[in-house]
């Protein structure tokens, strides 16, 4: 599982999936959404995977049993998760993944998927994005099911991506999660990587970028992958000739910031309650961060305890995270500057 800060995680996840498929691995791709259950997201995908496996003669019978398990799984859990919609190719097999208990039934179902994949001499990999939005008990069920597959040496696993709090959420869901998964953290690009990300695409089109322009882009974006794309795009549009110069980047910055305010930042801001907006504005008052929870509370003239639930709500929404105990940071760079633009002036605490 990967803890990431940035839209680049989705691109990375898709590239990893393409690489896996190129080797003959059967893949499942889903994005976790706050209004959808885990069974609803993966059941149709598992059906497709089992149908693919059923075309392999050595795996046909086991894949069919997996489809019977899926039928029982969907039928039993639809009572609890009304959003499950999946085509059923076989009648359920009594006693197979049909107890109505998510953790137990999902373990049985993934085991059947794993046995079919093993017989087909391949693997099944679930690529799940935005895992931080998965409710704790559903995350626990997924981890438990994968643990069972690992114990039986079955070729089923997950490549998950989400915000940096993913490691903590997994650990809270199941204490053994940190032993079961790797949790690499991928953040901003290094200076040389960011420089290459700007220069290479431009040079492929016969356009150069001056060192001053690159330095200005790096200063503005902090090496954040999605922001590099935005500044690169708008700098390209502004420049009238090659090379793209520092003045071009400065002019493009106004357009890039306006575009981010109206889409990237605004989407996140609109999900917030008035109290959550005030908490983030207090963070912005202190600067980019990270900040001690006590310092944020002091800006709001509140106690840390009174703000604990509000802070947790913002973590659950993916707006902030805790890089270390007692610290709080924005999950997206430059959000402090956006908060000051969207809630300006000295009287924001009383607005």
């Amino acid at each position: 599982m990967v803890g990431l800060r940035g839209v680049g995680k989705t691109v990375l996840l898709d590239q990893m999936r393409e690489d896996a498929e190129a080797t003959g691995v059967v893949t499942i791709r889903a994005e976790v959404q706050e209004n959808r259950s885990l069974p609803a997201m993966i059941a149709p995908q598992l059906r497709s995977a089992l149908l693919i496996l059923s075309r392999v003669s050595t795996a046909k019978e086991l894949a069919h049993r997996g489809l019977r398990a899926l039928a029982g799984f969907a039928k039993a859990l639809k009572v609890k998760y009304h959003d499950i919609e999946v085509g059923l190719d076989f009648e359920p097999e009594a006693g197979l993944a049909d107890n109505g208990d998510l953790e137990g039934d999902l373990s049985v179902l993934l085991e059947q998927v794993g046995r079919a994949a093993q017989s087909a001499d391949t693997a099944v990999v679930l690529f799940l994005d935005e895992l931080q939005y998965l409710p704790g008990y559903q995350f626990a069920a997924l981890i438990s099911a994968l643990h069972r597959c690992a114990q039986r040496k079955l070729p089923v696993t997950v490549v998950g991506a989400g915000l940096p709090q993913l490691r903590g959420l997994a650990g809270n869901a199941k204490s053994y999660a940190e032993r079961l998964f790797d949790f690499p953290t991928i953040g901003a690009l290094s200076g040389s990587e960011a420089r290459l990300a700007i220069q290479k695409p431009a040079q492929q089109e016969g356009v150069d970028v001056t060192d001053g322009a690159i330095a200005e882009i790096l200063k503005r974006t902090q090496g954040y992958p999605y922001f590099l794309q935005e500044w690169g795009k708008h700098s390209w549009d502004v420049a009238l000739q090659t090379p793209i110069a520092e003045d071009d980047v400065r002019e493009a910055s106004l357009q890039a910031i306006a575009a981010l305010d109206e889409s990237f930042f605004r989407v996140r801001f609109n999900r917030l309650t008035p109290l959550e907006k005030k908490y983030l504005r207090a963070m912005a008052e202190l600067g980019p961060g990270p900040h001690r929870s006590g310092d944020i509370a002091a800006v709001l003239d509140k106690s840390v305890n009174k703000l604990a639930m509000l802070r947790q709500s913002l973590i659950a929404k993916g707006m902030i995270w805790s890089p270390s105990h007692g610290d709080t940071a924005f999950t997206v760079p430059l959000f402090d500057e956006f908060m000051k633009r969207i809630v300006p002036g000295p009287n924001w605490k009383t607005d």
Side-chain angles (χ1 to χ4, degrees):
M1 297 189 185
V2 185
L4 298 158
R5 296 173 66 200
V7 175
K9 67 181 173 54
T10 302
V11 176
L12 176 60
L13 205 64
D14 287 340
Q15 184 60 60
M16 293 173 70
R17 184 189 180 195
E18 289 176 11
D19 292 344
E21 289 179 340
T23 66
V25 169
V26 179
T27 68
I28 291 170
R29 175 72 163 90
E31 180 175 323
V32 178
Q33 301 174 25
E34 293 174 279
N35 60 346
R36 293 194 69 199
S37 68
L38 177 64
M41 287 182 287
I42 67 172
Q45 304 282 357
L46 287 173
R47 173 180 178 268
S48 297
L50 286 164
L51 288 173
I52 291 171
L53 293 171
S54 72
R55 298 171 194 151
V56 180
S57 59
T58 56
K60 184 175 181 179
E61 290 305 316
L62 285 170
H64 285 177
R65 189 160 198 254
L67 287 165
R68 290 196 295 274
L70 178 60
F73 176 84
K75 184 176 180 181
L77 288 173
K78 191 170 177 62
V79 176
K80 294 181 180 179
Y81 305 96
H82 302 289
D83 57 346
I84 299 177
E85 295 293 339
V86 58
L88 303 178
D89 302 275
F90 291 84
E91 287 297 316
E93 179 179 324
L96 187 65
D98 62 355
N99 290 323
D101 170 66
L102 177 60
E103 185 164 322
D105 289 350
L106 185 59
S107 294
V108 172
L109 176 58
L110 288 191
E111 181 180 350
Q112 297 306 315
V113 172
R115 293 192 184 283
Q118 192 174 59
S119 294
D121 196 26
T122 187
V124 173
V125 181
L126 291 79
F127 289 85
L128 303 178
D129 199 2
E130 304 293 0
L131 266 176
Q132 73 276 0
Y133 293 131
L134 201 60
Y137 75 98
Q138 294 184 31
F139 204 173
L142 177 62
I143 294 170
S144 179
L146 292 167
H147 187 216
R148 178 166 174 169
C149 289
Q151 288 176 319
R152 287 160 173 71
K153 295 181 170 52
L154 297 173
V156 178
T157 193
V158 158
V159 176
L163 294 174
Q165 62 263 38
L166 191 55
R167 179 194 294 267
L169 293 172
N172 290 337
K174 288 290 182 182
S175 59
Y176 54 76
E178 291 197 20
R179 302 193 303 273
L180 189 61
F181 302 108
D182 292 325
F183 291 88
T185 299
I186 302 174
L189 299 182
S190 67
S192 60
E193 292 168 336
R195 175 180 291 271
L196 183 62
I198 294 296
Q199 280 183 326
K200 187 174 180 180
Q203 288 174 347
Q204 288 174 341
E205 298 298 325
V207 175
D208 290 323
V209 186
T210 67
D211 289 341
I214 291 175
E216 183 69 15
I217 290 174
L218 298 191
K219 183 180 75 173
R220 298 273 188 170
T221 64
Q222 301 176 26
Y224 192 66
Y226 180 59
F227 292 173
L228 286 169
Q229 294 175 41
E230 283 290 334
W231 258 263
K233 171 189 179 298
H234 289 288
S235 297
W236 178 280
D237 290 343
V238 164
L240 299 178
Q241 60 187 9
T242 184
I244 297 174
E246 192 172 345
D247 286 344
D248 296 322
V249 175
R250 290 198 181 98
E251 183 179 346
S253 293
L254 299 174
Q255 299 177 19
I257 291 169
L260 289 171
D261 281 0
E262 287 306 310
S263 57
F264 187 80
F265 292 135
R266 174 73 71 170
V267 167
R268 287 157 173 77
F269 182 80
N270 287 345
R271 297 175 62 232
L272 303 173
T273 67
L275 288 177
E276 289 169 344
K277 292 174 182 176
K278 191 165 290 189
Y279 188 94
L280 295 187
R281 182 61 177 83
M283 285 181 62
E285 193 73 6
L286 295 170
H291 306 297
R292 300 297 295 172
S293 297
D295 293 337
I296 301 169
V299 173
L300 292 167
D301 299 320
K302 303 283 186 182
S303 71
V304 172
N305 289 340
K306 286 187 175 180
L307 294 171
M309 290 185 64
L310 188 60
R311 179 176 181 268
Q312 189 56 46
S313 173
L314 286 164
I315 290 175
K317 287 185 176 182
M319 299 301 302
I320 59 176
W321 69 294
S322 180
S324 59
H325 182 70
D327 282 343
T328 305
F330 291 106
T331 55
V332 176
L334 307 186
F335 204 80
D336 60 309
E337 297 177 12
F338 168 75
M339 287 303 301
K340 289 180 180 179
R341 289 193 296 272
I342 199 75
V343 189
N347 299 319
W348 61 269
K349 278 198 273 189
T350 58
D351 288 347

